[in-house]
Amino acid sequence: MSTILSQPVDLSDSGEQPRPQESRKRLLLVSYHFPPVGGAGVQRPVKFVKYLKQFGWDVSVLMAANPSVPVFDNSLLVDIPENTHLEKARTWEPDYTLKKNMAQKQEEAQKVSLSGSLKSSCKKVVKAGAGMLLQPDAQILWYPNALKAGKRLLKRVPHDAILATAPPYSNLILASKLKKIFHLPLISDFRDEWDLSSKYLENHQRDRISDLIQTRLQKKVMRHSDAIVATTQASTQRLLDRAEQFGASPVGQCIYNGYDPDDFDTPHEPTSTYSPESGRKFRIVYTGTLWNLTTIEPLVRAIEAVHQSQPAILKHLELQVIGRKTPEQREILDRLNQTDCTLICEDYCAHHEALKKMAAADALCLLLSDVEGADRVAPAKLFEYLAIQREILSITPAGETAGILQDFWPEGNFRASETDKLAHWLVNRLSGQTVSPMPHPEKRDQFQREHQAGQLAELLNQLVHHRI
């Protein structure tokens, strides 16, 4: 199944077609998630597609025709250039709503069943068995049809390279198979490290057999990759070390996540400057998923500390939390109902709406749990936060994110254990303490999506030239 936004290139089944311009090259992007799928995971691939055309690369996207995903965002379609070929393949996964309902029923059944009952034990065995088969992730059910679609496309149309972005890591398995068949340079783009995802993702198999399977699959991908790209310097080095352990020697490059100036065409100015007498609340906005790698517990603890010392001042605080939340994180947020803080929760909103909510904030909250490996992570939203130029309240471990923020908002950068300092920051802001403008805003330019697409194009050109 194919969708073509316009047809400057004939992609018919009548045989291989010549390139419209010999100077241009064509990339196959393997990305299960692609607009109209919404969420943070699609921003990176769609912005690559948008800007690569400026650097001489046209793109074909191999994507899911019926993705099993929680959110869609049609506003992202505007970023797809007209000459982008969308090759769609159906997945055998059940619809996301069905999966969600099944998970809820299972959770309810576990609450009412006896822990030692035969029925409960059987359900656990069935779930574990299903998880064992779906390796490296549930999106492996897309693999058979996607492989057929990818082979048809590559036989019909000349391509110069393949890029696969993950998670899901099934994208990498699929791309490595296509690379093996068609002998094209392969770039594996890790938006998250495979090992970290295996450790922290919800519902991920954590048994010894699954670990062995995942390690074998990761080894296969590393050995087929000509280049590995990651979103921080530390992650890039970690993945290269992992590749070396597997006997592979791909090129490595860090390409950070970033922001697109086109998303900020309309100047985002706060409605008014906050003061205790202004008649409005001091608004902190968090956007993104709340789960074990981005727990909001430290901020809730700090608000509770303020409640103990100066409860009345919390009537000036509004906390907006936009995005999916695990049940554990919802329970943590519920504790704020015992304070005078105003809590506003939304499960999801379109990207352009999220940007408006960020712009209306007095401070933007960035969270990273203090767990092993988090020091190598830089959340994608960090860079849009920088583009908005609102003060950032960050609660992260020492590491790459903290290092980046040191150039922009050092005063609002805390560790999870620094409850007293966080509470002091809250009291100061709620008391109307003024904040200096962002120093050196020009340093943000390195994180523009166009610049990052240029980095990718340069890497692609090097790989293609080396192949020739």
Side-chain angles (χ1 to χ4, degrees):
M1 181 185 300
S2 301
T3 298
I4 307 175
L5 300 187
S6 73
Q7 284 189 317
V9 184
D10 183 0
L11 299 179
S12 66
D13 287 319
S14 57
E16 185 175 292
Q17 301 298 319
R19 304 177 192 277
Q21 301 175 31
E22 290 300 329
S23 61
R24 297 191 67 80
K25 299 180 181 68
R26 180 166 285 272
L27 172 71
L28 175 63
L29 169 63
V30 179
S31 184
Y32 175 97
H33 299 99
F34 201 75
V37 172
V42 302
Q43 290 293 322
R44 183 174 175 90
V46 78
K47 298 300 184 180
F48 279 153
V49 171
K50 175 180 178 179
Y51 285 110
L52 275 174
K53 60 181 291 189
Q54 298 178 197
F55 301 96
W57 282 85
D58 299 316
V59 184
S60 304
V61 182
L62 180 56
M63 58 185 287
N66 57 327
S68 181
V69 295
V71 294
F72 290 88
D73 186 350
N74 288 316
S75 70
L76 299 176
L77 294 171
V78 70
D79 281 331
I80 305 176
E82 290 184 349
N83 67 337
T84 305
H85 176 78
L86 305 181
E87 188 76 19
K88 299 181 181 181
R90 293 188 63 81
T91 177
W92 294 110
E93 296 168 85
D95 180 78
Y96 185 83
T97 303
L98 177 61
K99 290 196 297 187
K100 184 177 179 182
N101 290 339
M102 290 173 63
Q104 288 176 341
K105 288 180 181 178
Q106 184 177 14
E107 186 177 339
E108 292 170 1
Q110 286 176 346
K111 290 179 180 179
V112 298
S113 64
L114 295 174
S115 60
S117 71
L118 178 62
K119 185 176 180 181
S120 176
S121 299
C122 288
K123 285 183 178 180
K124 290 179 180 177
V125 170
V126 170
K127 182 180 178 182
M132 190 78 69
L133 292 173
L134 300 179
Q135 298 283 0
D137 40 54
Q139 287 72 37
I140 198 66
L141 293 172
W142 179 57
Y143 178 95
N145 288 335
L147 180 60
K148 292 177 184 177
K151 288 164 67 175
R152 284 197 305 267
L153 177 61
L154 290 174
K155 286 177 181 177
R156 296 197 316 264
V157 184
H159 284 70
D160 299 278
I162 302 172
L163 169 69
T165 183
Y169 298 97
S170 294
N171 288 342
L172 304 183
I173 305 298
L174 172 60
S176 64
K177 181 65 174 179
L178 292 172
K179 183 258 170 69
K180 184 178 180 181
I181 297 171
F182 293 94
H183 308 290
L184 294 173
L186 170 62
I187 296 178
S188 294
D189 177 49
F190 289 84
R191 302 193 313 277
D192 296 306
E193 292 176 35
W194 194 323
D195 291 335
L196 284 183
S197 293
S198 298
K199 188 171 184 178
Y200 296 116
L201 278 181
E202 305 160 68
N203 302 319
H204 202 282
Q205 293 294 108
R206 294 176 175 85
D207 56 275
R208 185 172 177 272
I209 296 177
S210 293
D211 286 343
L212 290 172
I213 295 172
Q214 295 272 330
T215 299
R216 183 178 178 183
L217 292 172
Q218 189 175 175
K219 179 179 181 179
K220 181 179 180 181
V221 166
M222 294 288 196
R223 287 187 165 183
H224 282 136
S225 298
D226 297 278
I228 287 175
V229 171
T231 57
T232 66
Q233 299 284 351
S235 277
T236 304
Q237 187 58 55
R238 178 76 172 204
L239 289 165
L240 288 177
D241 291 344
R242 189 73 161 139
E244 186 178 357
Q245 292 173 6
F246 293 140
S249 54
V251 175
Q253 183 164 342
C254 168
I255 301 179
Y256 284 103
N257 282 306
Y259 69 94
D260 186 350
D262 288 352
D263 293 335
F264 302 89
D265 280 344
T266 304
H268 293 301
E269 298 295 338
T271 358
S272 61
T273 303
Y274 168 79
S275 70
E277 298 79 25
S278 64
R280 71 175 187 85
K281 298 178 185 292
F282 183 87
R283 182 179 299 142
I284 299 176
V285 174
Y286 174 85
T287 61
T289 301
L290 287 181
W291 59 305
N292 54 14
L293 200 56
T294 56
T295 180
I296 202 164
E297 167 81 26
L299 179 56
V300 170
R301 246 192 346 255
I303 294 173
E304 289 173 330
V306 176
H307 176 69
Q308 292 296 320
S309 59
Q310 301 184 50
I313 202 172
L314 288 177
K315 68 183 180 182
H316 298 298
L317 176 61
E318 178 182 294
L319 176 62
Q320 287 190 11
V321 184
I322 303 161
R324 190 177 68 85
K325 307 156 192 70
T326 62
E328 294 78 12
Q329 294 298 310
R330 287 185 182 275
E331 289 180 6
I332 293 170
L333 285 169
D334 285 344
R335 285 157 41 187
L336 295 180
N337 294 329
Q338 305 302 315
T339 74
D340 286 333
C341 166
T342 300
L343 175 64
I344 299 175
C345 291
E346 294 183 38
D347 285 338
Y348 181 78
C349 68
H351 183 241
H352 67 283
E353 291 296 330
L355 294 180
K356 290 179 182 178
K357 293 179 185 295
M358 293 181 205
D362 295 286
L364 296 165
C365 180
L366 189 75
L367 300 171
L368 263 181
S369 303
D370 191 3
V371 295
E372 183 183 356
D375 58 304
R376 303 192 298 272
V377 176
K381 69 176 69 65
L382 162 63
F383 306 100
E384 290 187 327
Y385 282 8
L386 293 176
I388 291 283
Q389 293 195 61
R390 299 293 177 268
E391 183 181 15
I392 297 176
L393 168 62
S394 63
I395 307 172
T396 72
E400 199 139 351
T401 292
I404 292 171
L405 284 168
Q406 195 63 31
D407 284 338
F408 299 100
W409 299 109
E411 293 180 7
N413 196 348
F414 300 96
R415 307 288 85 80
S417 60
E418 296 177 329
T419 303
D420 291 343
K421 291 182 179 180
L422 270 165
H424 183 68
W425 183 94
L426 285 168
V427 170
N428 284 343
R429 296 300 179 268
L430 297 177
S431 301
Q433 183 189 72
T434 57
V435 182
S436 302
M438 176 196 287
H440 312 298
E442 70 281 355
K443 289 187 176 182
R444 297 173 305 154
D445 294 348
Q446 64 183 304
F447 302 122
Q448 289 190 18
R449 294 287 190 182
E450 182 179 0
H451 172 72
Q452 293 156 338
Q455 290 180 292
L456 177 59
E458 184 178 350
L459 176 59
L460 284 165
N461 291 335
Q462 289 173 1
L463 294 177
V464 171
H465 178 75
H466 179 72
R467 177 172 175 251
I468 295 172

